Coordinates of all heavy atoms in Angstrom, one line a residue:
R885 N 13.2 5.1 4.9 CA 11.8 5.4 5.2 C 11.0 5.8 3.9 O 9.9 5.2 3.6 CB 11.7 6.5 6.2 CG 11.2 6.0 7.6 CD 11.0 7.1 8.6 NE 12.1 7.1 9.4 CZ 13.0 8.1 9.5 NH1 12.8 9.2 8.9 NH2 14.0 8.1 10.3
S886 N 11.6 6.7 3.1 CA 10.9 7.1 1.9 C 10.8 6.0 0.9 O 9.8 5.9 0.2 CB 11.5 8.4 1.3 OG 12.8 8.1 0.8
S887 N 11.8 5.2 0.8 CA 11.8 4.1 -0.1 C 10.8 3.0 0.3 O 10.0 2.5 -0.5 CB 13.2 3.4 -0.2 OG 14.1 4.3 -0.7
K888 N 10.7 2.8 1.6 CA 9.7 1.8 2.1 C 8.3 2.3 1.9 O 7.5 1.6 1.4 CB 9.9 1.6 3.6 CG 8.9 0.6 4.2 CD 9.0 0.6 5.7 CE 8.2 1.7 6.2 NZ 7.9 1.9 7.6
D889 N 8.1 3.6 2.1 CA 6.8 4.2 1.9 C 6.4 4.1 0.4 O 5.3 3.8 0.1 CB 6.7 5.6 2.4 CG 6.8 5.7 3.9 OD1 6.7 4.7 4.6 OD2 7.1 6.9 4.4
A890 N 7.4 4.4 -0.5 CA 7.1 4.4 -1.9 C 6.8 2.9 -2.3 O 5.9 2.7 -3.1 CB 8.3 4.9 -2.7
L891 N 7.5 2.0 -1.8 CA 7.3 0.6 -2.1 C 5.9 0.1 -1.7 O 5.2 -0.6 -2.4 CB 8.4 -0.3 -1.5 CG 8.4 -1.8 -1.9 CD1 8.5 -2.0 -3.4 CD2 9.5 -2.5 -1.2
L892 N 5.6 0.5 -0.4 CA 4.3 0.1 0.1 C 3.1 0.7 -0.7 O 2.1 0.1 -1.0 CB 4.1 0.5 1.6 CG 4.9 -0.4 2.5 CD1 4.8 0.1 3.9 CD2 4.5 -1.9 2.5
D893 N 3.3 2.0 -1.1 CA 2.3 2.6 -1.9 C 2.1 1.9 -3.3 O 1.0 1.7 -3.7 CB 2.6 4.1 -2.1 CG 2.5 5.0 -0.9 OD1 1.8 4.5 0.0 OD2 3.0 6.1 -0.9
K894 N 3.2 1.5 -3.8 CA 3.2 0.8 -5.1 C 2.5 -0.5 -4.9 O 1.7 -0.9 -5.8 CB 4.6 0.7 -5.7 CG 4.7 0.1 -7.0 CD 4.2 1.0 -8.0 CE 4.4 0.5 -9.4 NZ 3.8 1.3 -10.5
A895 N 2.9 -1.2 -3.9 CA 2.2 -2.5 -3.6 C 0.7 -2.4 -3.4 O 0.0 -3.2 -4.0 CB 2.9 -3.2 -2.4
H896 N 0.3 -1.4 -2.7 CA -1.1 -1.2 -2.4 C -1.8 -0.8 -3.7 O -3.0 -1.2 -4.0 CB -1.3 -0.1 -1.4 CG -1.3 -0.6 0.0 ND1 -2.3 -1.4 0.5 CD2 -0.4 -0.4 1.0 CE1 -2.0 -1.7 1.8 NE2 -0.8 -1.1 2.1
S897 N -1.2 -0.1 -4.6 CA -1.8 0.3 -5.8 C -2.0 -0.9 -6.8 O -2.9 -0.9 -7.6 CB -1.0 1.4 -6.6 OG 0.2 0.9 -7.1
L898 N -1.1 -1.9 -6.6 CA -1.2 -3.1 -7.5 C -2.1 -4.1 -6.9 O -2.6 -5.0 -7.6 CB 0.2 -3.7 -7.7 CG 1.2 -2.8 -8.5 CD1 2.5 -3.4 -8.5 CD2 0.7 -2.5 -9.9
C899 N -2.4 -4.1 -5.6 CA -3.1 -5.1 -4.9 C -4.6 -4.7 -5.0 O -5.0 -3.6 -4.7 CB -2.7 -5.1 -3.4 SG -3.5 -6.4 -2.4
P900 N -5.5 -5.7 -5.3 CA -6.9 -5.4 -5.3 C -7.4 -5.1 -3.9 O -6.9 -5.6 -2.9 CB -7.5 -6.8 -5.8 CG -6.4 -7.6 -6.2 CD -5.1 -7.1 -5.7
Q901 N -8.3 -4.2 -3.8 CA -8.8 -3.7 -2.6 C -9.5 -4.8 -1.7 O -9.4 -4.8 -0.5 CB -9.9 -2.6 -2.8 CG -10.3 -1.9 -1.5 CD -11.1 -0.7 -1.7 OE1 -11.4 -0.3 -2.8 NE2 -11.5 0.0 -0.6
L902 N -10.0 -5.8 -2.4 CA -10.6 -6.9 -1.7 C -9.6 -7.7 -0.9 O -9.9 -8.1 0.3 CB -11.3 -7.8 -2.7 CG -12.0 -9.0 -2.2 CD1 -13.2 -8.6 -1.3 CD2 -12.6 -9.9 -3.3
L903 N -8.4 -7.9 -1.4 CA -7.3 -8.6 -0.6 C -6.6 -7.7 0.4 O -6.3 -8.2 1.5 CB -6.3 -9.2 -1.6 CG -6.8 -10.3 -2.6 CD1 -5.8 -10.7 -3.5 CD2 -7.3 -11.5 -1.8
C904 N -6.2 -6.5 0.0 CA -5.4 -5.6 0.8 C -6.2 -4.7 1.7 O -5.6 -4.1 2.6 CB -4.4 -4.8 -0.1 SG -3.3 -5.9 -1.0
G905 N -7.4 -4.4 1.4 CA -8.2 -3.5 2.2 C -7.9 -2.1 1.7 O -7.0 -1.8 0.8
P906 N -8.5 -1.1 2.3 CA -8.3 0.3 1.9 C -6.9 0.7 2.3 O -6.3 0.2 3.3 CB -9.3 1.1 2.7 CG -10.0 0.1 3.6 CD -9.5 -1.3 3.3
K907 N -6.4 1.7 1.6 CA -5.0 2.2 1.8 C -4.9 2.9 3.1 O -3.8 3.0 3.7 CB -4.6 3.2 0.7 CG -4.3 2.6 -0.6 CD -4.0 3.8 -1.6 CE -2.8 3.4 -2.5 NZ -2.6 4.5 -3.4
D908 N -5.9 3.5 3.7 CA -5.8 4.3 4.9 C -5.5 3.6 6.1 O -5.2 4.1 7.1 CB -7.2 5.0 5.1 CG -7.8 5.6 3.9 OD1 -7.2 5.4 2.8 OD2 -8.8 6.3 4.0
L909 N -5.5 2.2 6.1 CA -5.3 1.5 7.3 C -3.8 1.3 7.8 O -3.6 0.7 8.8 CB -5.9 0.1 7.1 CG -7.4 0.0 6.9 CD1 -7.8 -1.4 6.8 CD2 -8.1 0.7 8.1
D910 N -2.9 1.9 7.1 CA -1.5 1.8 7.5 C -1.3 2.5 8.7 O -1.0 3.1 9.4 CB -0.5 2.4 6.4 CG -0.4 1.4 5.2 OD1 -0.8 0.3 5.4 OD2 0.0 1.9 4.2

């Protein structure tokens, strides 16, 4: 779980907001 969360956070930080949307939507 913590690895998945860390990986998703990293992916969101690399993804432009226009494509991925805001981080809060998880």
Side-chain angles (χ1 to χ4, degrees):
R885 251 184 259 117
S886 68
S887 296
K888 180 189 84 168
D889 293 344
L891 184 61
L892 287 175
D893 287 344
K894 185 70 172 175
H896 275 289
S897 71
L898 297 174
C899 182
Q901 188 171 1
L902 183 63
L903 295 176
C904 297
K907 282 179 144 180
D908 314 7
L909 296 179
D910 286 342

